[in-house]
Amino acid sequence: MYTLQTYEKKGSLQLIKTIKKRNFATQFMSQTEQEFKNIIAHCKEYGFVFPSSEIYDGLSAVYDYGQTGVALKNNLKSYWWKSMVQLHENVVGIDSSIFMHPKTWKASGHIDGFNDPMIDNKDSKKRYRADVLIEEFIGKIEAKINKEVTKAAKRFGDTFDKEQFLATNPRALDNQKKIADINARMKAGLDGDLALLKTLIEDLEIACPVSGSKNWTDVKQFNLMYSTQMNATSGEGDDALYLRPETAQGIFVNYLNVQKTGRMKIPFGIAQIGKAFRNEIVARQFIIRMKEFEQMELQFFVRPGTEMEVFNYWKKNRLDWHKNLGINPEKYRYHDHVKLAHYANAAVDIEYKYPFGFKEVEGIHSRTDFDLKAHQEHSGKKLQYFDPELNESYVPYVVETSIGVDRLFLLVMSEALQQETLESGDSRVVLRLNPAIAPYKLAVLPLLKKDGLPEKAREIYNDLKFDFECYYEEKDAIGKRYRRQDAIGTPYCITIDHDSLEDNQVTIRDRDTMEQKRVPISALSTLLHEKTDMSGLLKRLG
Ligand code: GAP
């Protein structure tokens, strides 16, 4: 019953006590918390996401995708892959291994710089990312500003000008200044002096969410990579082997292979989908921050000096890609980085408003020639491009787009899951997924389990299954079966009744409108292709 960490493995006795207290508090849970809790519960109940190794009480921040979840996830990956690789003649894909030569991570800067600033609360013994604690504090100030904006918008009606309000209202100005000051102090701390982060946390009087105490340790850096070993005999002196913390490096080390064998001309891109691993100390918010997760990354290699133009192209392209899924555009925003990663000269996040607030779903970075140059130095191999137009060789610059499959999955679920009250007064839970990404495109349902209806239904199922992901079900009343399909997002239900045996027509029910109409069985395939094919979604991208 505990709210947001329902699936997370519980720890100390202290924490269990806190959970009990919080369970009591759930009756006063905010609407957004309730919404998030519903999404997590729905994912579990309908086979989308399970806690990993649940029979052993789960593993913290590790999750498994179930029968409907894997289908939705595969469709999301397919939408990304086709829009990147199939729709761009100068983008190709690869699938590199998770294990990479240990020197890769020295070159990429992950051994020295892939750290999070962590702080412990001495009373709860809980560990937090110092910057996240501060960002959450900033989020509260932002919420205050938004509240003022909403109030003023109500008061002034159509004449309300949000920009003007933010530029003139004394309270809003004061809060914006507070945010700017905190951001400046956080940047100074993140840029090197960790003691400044602790002072900032103390000055802001940030308390531990578990114990409520402000009794903090110093801030320390923790490396996020998981180390492992290749051979059973591996001993001291061997370079540590790491599970890759991003898929990008697999692309960089293959740059020359792909450029040469694919005869690629700059600008060109290499795309990859794959698992990444990070020892996230503060693993929270369901599949938002996992220890094992999946990334979809594009490295786009460009002539030095053109990177900002290309960066702006991908910045727009990627947001358009999200919106094309039918997601509410108002739930997106760009977030410019306060502190640039060691490899970047420009960086922006695409953030989505999850039920618990705005969070990064995708990052777009201009990575300069940092990675290729570093691999060139550490490997001793030239990673250059001969540009025939300039008649010179150079190390290409790189613009990267990187999106987490799991965060995208949660975004899509948050957007699609709706509880509706029908005209009849009944309610239904419906997952309004874009048909092209829905786990099943149709369900084939004989009205009754007798009179030759199942046989006719099977005939239809066996015909359509080669082109569409179909669900077949004959158990329970038809209304109940419709509800089950609504809950897993199946856009169309095909019902076979006694008339179907005579006139070779079936009833097709639309998930969103619940409208039902009779169509000839022979017309089903064309109709379903038109309504559910991924190509329809891709064509809208242009
Ligand atoms: N190659 C660049 C890179 O890895 P990042 O911002 O660290 O950049 C890119 O990660 C994306 O991967 C994020 O926008 C997010 O969607 C996803 N991601 C990162 N860490 C994650 C985690 N622990 N769990 C789930 N998704 C994560």
Side-chain angles (χ1 to χ4, degrees):
M1 177 187 171
Y2 178 43
T3 59
L4 305 185
Q5 287 111 330
T6 308
Y7 296 149
E8 287 165 14
K9 205 173 170 210
K10 316 297 184 307
S12 65
L13 192 63
Q14 170 64 40
L15 193 55
I16 291 166
K17 279 185 195 152
T18 312
I19 289 164
K20 282 187 179 157
K21 263 193 231 153
R22 287 219 185 165
N23 281 346
F24 171 72
T26 51
Q27 38 189 311
F28 308 110
M29 207 187 287
S30 72
Q31 197 190 338
T32 48
E33 249 188 309
Q34 185 63 52
E35 209 182 301
F36 189 36
K37 190 179 165 234
N38 287 344
I39 294 167
I40 297 172
H42 192 87
C43 280
K44 169 88 193 291
E45 189 178 346
Y46 289 94
F48 286 95
V49 183
F50 305 126
S52 166
S53 343
E54 196 184 8
I55 58 169
Y56 295 102
D57 289 341
L59 190 62
S60 172
V62 187
Y63 294 89
D64 297 341
Y65 286 82
Q67 65 281 12
T68 43
V70 69
L72 171 56
K73 197 179 182 207
N74 283 342
N75 291 338
L76 289 170
K77 290 196 274 187
S78 170
Y79 174 47
W80 185 86
W81 187 266
K82 284 175 191 278
S83 64
M84 287 300 193
V85 180
Q86 197 172 317
L87 298 195
H88 289 92
E89 63 181 88
N90 58 352
V91 175
V92 292
I94 61 162
D95 181 19
S96 71
S97 50
I98 287 170
F99 287 139
M100 296 185 69
H101 193 283
K103 283 188 185 161
T104 308
W105 307 113
K106 186 71 189 159
S108 67
H110 282 84
I111 286 180
D112 298 322
F114 194 50
N115 303 312
D116 272 348
M118 308 303 298
I119 189 165
D120 291 3
N121 183 269
K122 290 182 188 165
D123 298 315
S124 66
K125 311 276 184 256
K126 292 292 289 176
R127 180 163 288 174
Y128 300 93
R129 260 178 66 176
D131 55 334
V132 171
L133 283 178
I134 298 166
E135 273 166 9
E136 283 174 355
F137 187 88
I138 291 174
K140 285 183 192 154
I141 307 179
E142 282 172 343
K144 277 188 199 163
I145 299 176
N146 288 340
K147 217 168 157 186
E148 296 280 349
V149 169
T150 314
K151 247 171 47 193
K154 252 192 210 155
R155 198 162 359 112
F156 293 112
D158 288 346
T159 58
F160 181 64
D161 180 341
K162 185 176 168 187
E163 300 299 316
Q164 195 191 353
F165 176 82
L166 289 174
T168 53
N169 179 275
R171 258 200 306 268
L173 282 171
D174 186 41
N175 278 326
Q176 289 172 82
K177 183 175 176 318
K178 264 190 209 156
I179 291 176
D181 289 347
I182 296 172
N183 267 328
R185 288 180 67 187
M186 179 164 71
K187 183 171 182 319
L190 291 173
D191 277 345
D193 191 350
L194 294 178
L196 294 178
L197 289 180
K198 184 181 181 192
T199 313
L200 182 55
I201 286 170
E202 285 171 344
D203 289 352
L204 297 175
E205 299 191 3
I206 295 174
C208 165
V210 172
S211 67
S213 106
K214 296 168 194 157
N215 194 6
W216 298 106
T217 62
D218 288 341
V219 178
K220 284 195 200 116
Q221 295 285 18
F222 280 82
N223 194 285
L224 295 180
M225 282 197 296
Y226 278 111
S227 62
T228 178
Q229 56 185 51
M230 188 136 255
N231 305 310
T233 53
S234 183
E236 272 183 32
D238 288 356
D239 277 330
L241 194 67
Y242 295 99
L243 297 182
R244 67 180 177 197
E246 62 171 11
T247 58
Q249 297 305 323
I251 296 180
F252 289 122
V253 299
N254 278 297
Y255 155 75
L256 210 54
N257 283 337
V258 174
Q259 192 271 318
K260 291 235 178 299
T261 57
R263 296 184 298 130
M264 307 302 290
K265 290 195 176 52
I266 269 180
F268 75 92
I270 305 179
Q272 169 158 234
I273 300 178
K275 289 267 183 160
F277 303 81
R278 294 184 190 175
N279 190 1
E280 300 281 6
I281 311 286
V282 185
R284 282 182 306 165
Q285 291 167 327
F286 194 37
I287 52 176
I288 280 282
R289 198 170 291 287
M290 301 156 85
K291 297 191 176 198
E292 174 182 341
F293 58 100
E294 215 164 353
Q295 289 185 315
M296 304 192 282
E297 299 202 294
L298 169 80
Q299 308 299 321
F300 201 74
F301 300 90
V302 304
R303 189 184 280 173
T306 62
E307 71 274 13
M308 283 320 294
E309 194 187 316
V310 176
F311 175 80
N312 287 328
Y313 166 82
W314 283 111
K315 181 175 166 180
K316 177 175 181 316
N317 175 293
R318 293 305 303 148
L319 189 57
D320 290 346
W321 180 91
H322 281 262
K323 291 180 188 166
N324 190 46
L325 269 176
I327 313 288
N328 178 359
E330 288 181 5
K331 291 214 180 148
Y332 283 106
R333 72 179 185 192
Y334 287 123
H335 171 76
D336 291 311
H337 284 206
V338 175
K339 178 180 184 276
L340 290 177
H342 58 273
Y343 49 73
N345 68 357
V348 66
D349 291 338
I350 295 176
E351 293 188 340
Y352 171 77
K353 192 173 185 193
Y354 290 95
F356 45 81
F358 276 101
K359 201 89 192 168
E360 170 190 349
V361 57
E362 174 155 7
I364 297 138
H365 300 116
S366 171
R367 292 181 79 124
T368 68
D369 55 2
F370 173 88
D371 301 87
L372 286 183
K373 261 201 176 142
H375 287 304
Q376 195 170 252
E377 270 164 35
H378 283 78
S379 67
K381 307 276 175 354
K382 268 198 171 170
L383 299 176
Q384 298 199 341
Y385 176 76
F386 176 73
D387 192 326
E389 282 173 30
L390 299 181
N391 199 25
E392 67 179 58
S393 294
Y394 51 78
V395 177
Y397 269 41
V398 172
V399 174
E400 167 189 77
T401 72
S402 174
I403 177 167
V405 181
D406 312 274
R407 287 192 189 183
L408 176 66
F409 186 99
L410 184 59
L411 180 162
V412 162
M413 288 299 287
S414 310
E415 192 71 16
L417 187 62
Q418 290 172 12
Q419 171 102 35
E420 285 180 355
T421 306
L422 306 176
E423 273 175 21
S424 61
D426 288 351
S427 69
R428 73 163 180 160
V429 172
V430 56
L431 200 57
R432 290 177 181 273
L433 294 170
N434 185 303
I437 56 164
Y440 296 99
K441 304 299 178 245
L442 69 143
V444 180
L445 314 170
L447 187 62
L448 297 175
K449 214 173 154 184
K450 58 182 184 182
D451 302 338
L453 301 187
E455 289 74 10
K456 187 75 180 168
R458 285 257 176 231
E459 227 175 76
I460 296 171
Y461 174 88
N462 284 329
D463 185 36
L464 294 176
K465 73 180 179 188
F466 296 102
D467 283 334
F468 307 98
E469 297 95 340
C470 306
Y471 197 103
Y472 180 87
E473 196 173 37
E474 51 189 36
K475 195 171 167 285
D476 290 331
I478 194 73
K480 222 174 178 182
R481 281 183 272 166
Y482 284 156
R483 290 288 177 276
R484 274 204 291 270
Q485 295 305 319
D486 287 345
I488 59 171
T490 309
Y492 297 102
C493 287
I494 313 288
T495 308
I496 294 89
D497 58 20
H498 290 94
D499 288 344
S500 308
L501 303 179
E502 305 298 324
D503 63 6
N504 271 321
Q505 296 204 7
V506 289
T507 301
I508 183 161
R509 172 188 179 271
D510 183 296
R511 175 198 68 201
D512 296 340
T513 61
M514 293 194 291
E515 263 172 23
Q516 302 188 11
K517 58 179 184 196
R518 297 288 286 179
V519 295
I521 294 170
S522 58
L524 278 177
S525 176
T526 310
L527 189 149
L528 288 163
H529 271 301
E530 225 171 71
K531 303 266 190 197
T532 69
D533 277 359
M534 179 74 77
S535 57
L537 193 59
L538 294 171
K539 275 181 191 150
R540 288 212 306 267
L541 284 172

